[in-house]
Amino acid sequence: HCLLGHEHMTKENFDKAREFYQKAVHLDPRNVRAFFGLGNLALRIEKHDMAIDYFVNAININDKVSTFYTQLGVAYMNKKDSEQALAYFKKAETVGHVSKCNRYNKALALLKINKFEEAKIECELLLSEVKEASVLILMGQCHQKLGCREEAHECWLKAMDMDKKESQKIKALIESL
């Protein structure tokens, strides 16, 4: 049932996905993958409180999976609670492998709570692993907040070269300088 839930999630058939995940939980109340699937489904349909509940259930079953904490942090970010989100991104780091997703979201949370230097450090670590426009955009925002206009401009130009789809957003950022 859980695997069918995953299948329906990939096809964006959310009602069927929910049905199968709930069947999986009904058959096995400790089915951590089903709770995780339900949490991700709730995130997709913007039911953030529900997502938080499902991710907490998953953590209560297995608190050794860093991805559960990352997704819980994402749910709090979506609720505009960056402080709480940051706590879960940090917890994810203590539990296991630091994923790129966790590091990016941690940097974003740090930026939102005005910890610009810490956010910049996270972006630098992330850029040492992967070169993506979204990371360069975030790094540019950190530089801008720190008053480093030239560095911000440079990051955004590199990002624009990498991802033409983001050019309007990046142009707006450049104009904000």
Side-chain angles (χ1 to χ4, degrees):
H1 294 287
C2 188
L3 291 174
L4 286 169
H6 295 331
E7 279 295 314
H8 285 287
M9 273 291 286
T10 60
K11 294 177 183 175
E12 296 188 3
N13 187 348
F14 300 135
D15 291 334
K16 277 287 192 193
R18 181 183 305 116
E19 181 183 321
F20 281 109
Y21 286 137
Q22 288 173 337
K23 281 182 184 178
V25 169
H26 177 73
L27 291 170
D28 178 7
R30 295 191 47 80
N31 189 326
V32 71
R33 290 185 177 125
F35 279 115
F36 185 69
L38 284 164
N40 285 319
L41 177 114
L43 278 180
R44 292 285 300 273
I45 61 173
E46 298 184 9
K47 302 279 187 187
H48 308 302
D49 289 325
M50 192 181 295
I52 288 167
D53 290 342
Y54 288 130
F55 292 131
V56 167
N57 283 336
I59 289 168
N60 286 337
I61 295 166
N62 184 349
D63 63 355
K64 305 288 187 243
V65 181
S66 62
T67 306
F68 296 167
Y69 293 99
T70 298
Q71 290 302 93
L72 183 54
V74 168
Y76 276 105
M77 285 286 287
N78 290 340
K79 284 187 62 167
K80 311 274 189 264
D81 187 347
S82 299
E83 290 279 352
Q84 189 66 42
L86 181 60
Y88 285 110
F89 297 138
K90 287 180 177 181
K91 178 68 177 173
E93 292 175 340
T94 66
V95 171
H97 169 72
V98 180
S99 71
K100 294 173 189 112
C101 177
N102 190 78
R103 190 173 302 283
Y104 177 84
N105 283 298
K106 181 181 175 190
L108 189 58
L110 288 163
L111 184 69
K112 288 183 187 254
I113 61 171
N114 301 324
K115 294 188 176 184
F116 308 126
E117 193 62 46
E118 290 178 55
K120 185 181 125 196
I121 291 167
E122 290 298 322
C123 287
E124 289 168 347
L125 291 169
L126 193 52
L127 283 169
S128 71
E129 297 176 46
V130 62
K131 302 286 187 237
E132 289 185 18
S134 59
V135 179
L136 285 166
I137 291 169
L138 188 58
M139 176 68 102
Q141 290 171 313
C142 293
H143 283 303
Q144 182 185 30
K145 296 292 187 182
L146 290 166
C148 304
R149 295 170 45 124
E150 288 179 26
E151 290 87 345
H153 188 256
E154 185 178 319
C155 285
W156 291 333
L157 288 177
K158 286 179 186 175
M160 197 179 313
D161 286 341
M162 287 182 175
D163 189 352
K164 301 297 182 198
K165 294 179 290 188
E166 295 290 331
S167 64
Q168 291 303 319
K169 176 183 176 180
I170 296 168
K171 285 177 185 176
L173 288 167
I174 290 171
E175 288 175 14
S176 72
L177 288 174

